[in-house]
Amino acid sequence: MTTTINATSPVFLFPGQGGYDGAALKRTYGQSPRVRALFARIDAVAAELFARRLTDLLFPDGEAVEMRRLLDDAPWVSQLAVYGAGLAAYHRLIEHGVRPSALVGHSLGEITALVAAGAYTVEDGARIVARRTELAAEGNCEDGSMVVVGASATRAAHMAGLTEEALLTVAAENHDGQTVLSGPREAIARLRAIGEFLNTAVAPIDSPFAFHNPSLAGVAPRFENFVEGIAQRPLTVPVYSPILGRFYEAGEQLGRPLAEHFTRPVRFAAALRALYGEGARVFVETGGRSALTPMVSKALTGRAREDFTALATLATGRDGADTLERTLATLRDTGLADSPGTETLRALLAPGFSDKEFADFWAAAGHEVLEMVSERASAFLGTRDPRSSAATTGPAAEAPATEALTTEALTTEAPDPSAPPNGTDGTGLPERQEILASVRTLYAQALEYPEEVMTDDALLEAELGVDSVKQVELLGRATELYGLSSRGPDFRLSDYDTLGRVTDLIEDGLRRHQLEGAVA
């Protein structure tokens, strides 16, 4: 089955070794509850496997640690750091409405790409990375390492041959002027001397082992068995493998292909050319640093530079600025990212529009829509009794309780008469904290967020990235827990944009139902 991509959407590129910028990751970690929730899940696996939390090592005392210091720690630290940074960048792009046509990973980044595409959970992806690291340490050539050579793969292979070390081999072909070699450090030392003699740059890579090396052939079957034992789900986005030279197929078991990564090289330049041939023109590096972005133009030599775009995400520019904001601005200008708040507006006003169609509509008519809403809101406020408490308590307080019995947005089924009262205020109703705890658990499980992230005042969309469609679904499930329904002419989703307000809605609905029973 042939995989095709939507050429109008960007291709996401997930970096491998060296794809980490501690300062940029710390910034986005502080800005995004979704990223903090992501790392809480990785922390749980790190604590389970290594009795340490990853974030304690990445941000000790609130400071960012860069890759060279992380490499001084256990090997799993640097590998999970790269993995987490890639997923963090992915979540930041997704929460701003950027939708990829395909995902591509460089070495370790291919595991990140498969997790982003939904093949594995965040936790299982972390376990796969950890096992990969463990087996690489066990099977690797003695004191293995990796270097980047400023030469084509053919020339770099000839240079490796001059060292007379069979385990010094090509690990990655980034473009015609850059190749990665892996092998024993002793052979790499000889290679650097050869590079100086031939006036060819040879520089070390931030990697704890010699990945993509024949020395790992013995442990590859064990890695395959490990991966095959992990639950696998269908891909939601096409994933192209530079190692296999093709897209992963629907339903393909991933154990053997991922095990082949141990010994086969990454042909990254060929992957970029293949995707360009499929129509891809926008490439977004989804990870730390700007490791892959410069490779795009060099791999696509001969194509007009204005014909394609390569952008970084979690990197610090030469001017010290965060590249993520510049990248999002560029994507917004081309209709590939949402303007702030437009995702919710599109879902409410024009759900049949694509992101780009709504962006075009909003650019042409958004000011008229906002002006009309402002006029109607002013007129509505002018009709309200200024003595009403509705200004602070929302729509549920705008009418007397007796009127609310017929116009209230919440209706309820009769409660089970055999159920014992669980309130402590003499009403028989559950206490607010009990309702909030139930709602928090429901939302956290549905969104796969840690419960500690789900504070009662966190904005569901602006801070947690929950779009309006998902909010409607979860609100319905929350109210159903208490026999309530959120249907009704007076209901407005925007009034219930935090867990605290959802709790207030349920609590108010239960009280109104109790009052209705008393009146009846």
Side-chain angles (χ1 to χ4, degrees):
M1 181 177 177
T2 302
T3 300
T4 57
I5 65 172
N6 177 6
T8 61
S9 297
V11 170
F12 285 3
L13 308 175
F14 293 84
Q17 308 305 322
Y20 185 80
D21 183 322
L25 180 61
K26 181 178 178 294
R27 283 194 296 271
T28 209
Y29 181 86
Q31 294 165 354
S32 172
R34 180 176 287 190
V35 171
R36 292 195 294 276
L38 162 72
F39 273 94
R41 298 172 68 180
I42 299 175
D43 275 343
V45 176
E48 166 198 319
L49 298 178
F50 308 109
R52 291 195 290 171
R53 288 162 32 104
L54 179 64
T55 51
D56 291 341
L57 307 173
L58 303 185
F59 315 122
D61 301 320
E63 297 299 321
V65 176
E66 295 300 335
M67 180 56 69
R68 291 195 177 277
R69 278 183 56 194
L70 296 179
L71 287 168
D72 292 336
D73 208 314
W76 65 266
V77 176
S78 63
Q79 301 304 284
L80 283 183
V82 172
Y83 168 74
L87 288 179
Y90 178 78
H91 281 297
R92 292 292 277 159
L93 291 167
I94 292 298
E95 68 187 8
H96 283 88
V98 187
R99 297 295 181 263
S101 61
L103 311 179
V104 183
H106 190 294
S107 188
L108 168 62
E110 194 158 316
I111 296 174
T112 317
L114 288 167
V115 170
Y120 301 107
T121 65
V122 170
E123 291 84 356
D124 283 341
R127 293 185 181 99
I128 291 172
V129 171
R131 184 59 172 160
R132 175 183 187 265
T133 307
E134 180 182 37
L135 289 174
E138 181 180 327
N140 211 211
C141 51
E142 185 175 354
D143 202 19
S145 186
M146 303 177 77
V147 291
V148 60
V149 180
S152 67
T154 301
R155 181 176 173 83
H158 283 315
M159 292 172 61
L162 294 174
T163 68
E164 298 183 341
E165 171 56 72
L167 291 179
L168 184 59
T169 59
V170 172
E173 301 173 15
N174 291 336
H175 54 78
D176 291 343
Q178 188 181 96
T179 303
V180 177
L181 298 181
S182 71
R185 289 185 187 273
E186 183 180 349
I188 286 176
R190 296 199 297 273
L191 179 75
R192 297 185 74 169
I194 292 169
E196 289 181 12
F197 180 78
L198 297 176
N199 197 28
T200 301
V202 178
I205 286 180
D206 293 335
S207 175
F209 305 118
F211 290 105
H212 308 286
N213 191 274
S215 64
L216 297 175
V219 298
R222 291 163 58 192
F223 186 65
E224 177 182 349
N225 291 337
F226 177 81
V227 174
E228 292 293 348
I230 292 179
Q232 180 183 321
R233 301 178 297 186
L235 298 177
T236 58
V237 184
V239 177
Y240 189 95
S241 169
I243 295 172
L244 305 177
R246 60 174 175 81
F247 284 101
Y248 283 99
E249 299 174 0
E252 179 177 5
Q253 291 300 305
L254 300 176
R256 177 165 295 180
L258 287 177
E260 292 180 16
H261 291 192
F262 275 97
T263 56
R264 293 179 60 172
V266 180
R267 304 190 187 280
F268 192 66
L272 292 173
R273 292 166 188 150
L275 290 165
Y276 181 91
E278 292 285 332
R281 293 297 183 269
V282 179
F283 300 87
V284 181
E285 182 168 355
T286 314
R289 289 181 61 183
S290 181
L292 304 182
T293 307
M295 297 180 192
V296 176
S297 60
K298 294 181 179 179
L300 299 180
T301 299
R303 287 79 172 173
R305 183 63 184 87
E306 61 274 10
D307 190 35
F308 59 87
T309 302
L311 303 166
T313 50
L314 298 188
T316 304
R318 293 181 180 178
D319 58 358
D322 193 334
T323 58
L324 176 61
E325 292 306 318
R326 287 194 292 231
T327 289
L328 289 172
T330 299
L331 294 172
R332 289 186 191 111
D333 288 344
T334 54
L336 296 176
D338 289 336
S339 297
T342 58
E343 186 173 354
T344 297
L345 289 172
R346 181 183 63 79
L348 293 174
L349 301 178
F353 279 30
S354 68
D355 291 341
K356 186 176 188 311
E357 287 171 338
F358 187 76
D360 291 343
F361 160 75
W362 194 251
H367 65 288
E368 297 177 15
V369 175
L370 291 176
E371 187 174 317
M372 180 189 73
V373 170
S374 178
E375 291 175 356
R376 293 292 298 273
S378 297
F380 174 76
L381 290 173
T383 64
R384 293 196 311 178
D385 183 346
R387 295 169 296 178
S388 169
S389 61
T392 57
T393 59
E398 290 178 10
T402 52
E403 181 183 351
L405 293 177
T406 58
T407 63
E408 172 56 34
L410 291 174
T411 60
T412 182
E413 300 173 359
D416 181 356
S418 64
N422 51 8
T424 59
D425 56 359
T427 67
L429 297 177
E431 293 183 342
R432 186 180 191 282
Q433 287 305 312
E434 179 185 335
I435 299 173
L436 177 61
S438 297
V439 170
R440 179 184 292 116
T441 298
L442 185 153
Y443 275 64
Q445 290 177 350
L447 298 169
E448 297 186 341
Y449 282 2
E451 287 198 21
E452 57 265 27
V453 175
M454 310 295 296
T455 60
D456 61 350
D457 58 352
L459 295 172
L460 291 172
E461 179 174 17
E463 296 181 14
L464 298 177
V466 187
D467 63 34
S468 58
V469 176
K470 192 67 175 177
Q471 286 184 54
V472 170
E473 174 197 338
L474 292 177
L475 182 59
R477 290 168 59 183
T479 54
E480 286 172 7
L481 284 175
Y482 293 91
L484 302 170
S485 169
S486 58
R487 296 182 298 274
D490 300 329
F491 177 77
R492 293 182 299 185
L493 180 65
S494 59
D495 291 322
Y496 307 104
D497 57 352
T498 68
L499 293 190
R501 291 177 180 175
V502 171
T503 300
D504 292 340
L505 176 70
I506 294 172
E507 188 176 31
D508 190 60
L510 291 173
R511 286 174 178 158
R512 290 178 185 277
H513 169 69
Q514 187 178 62
L515 178 60
E516 181 179 6
V519 171

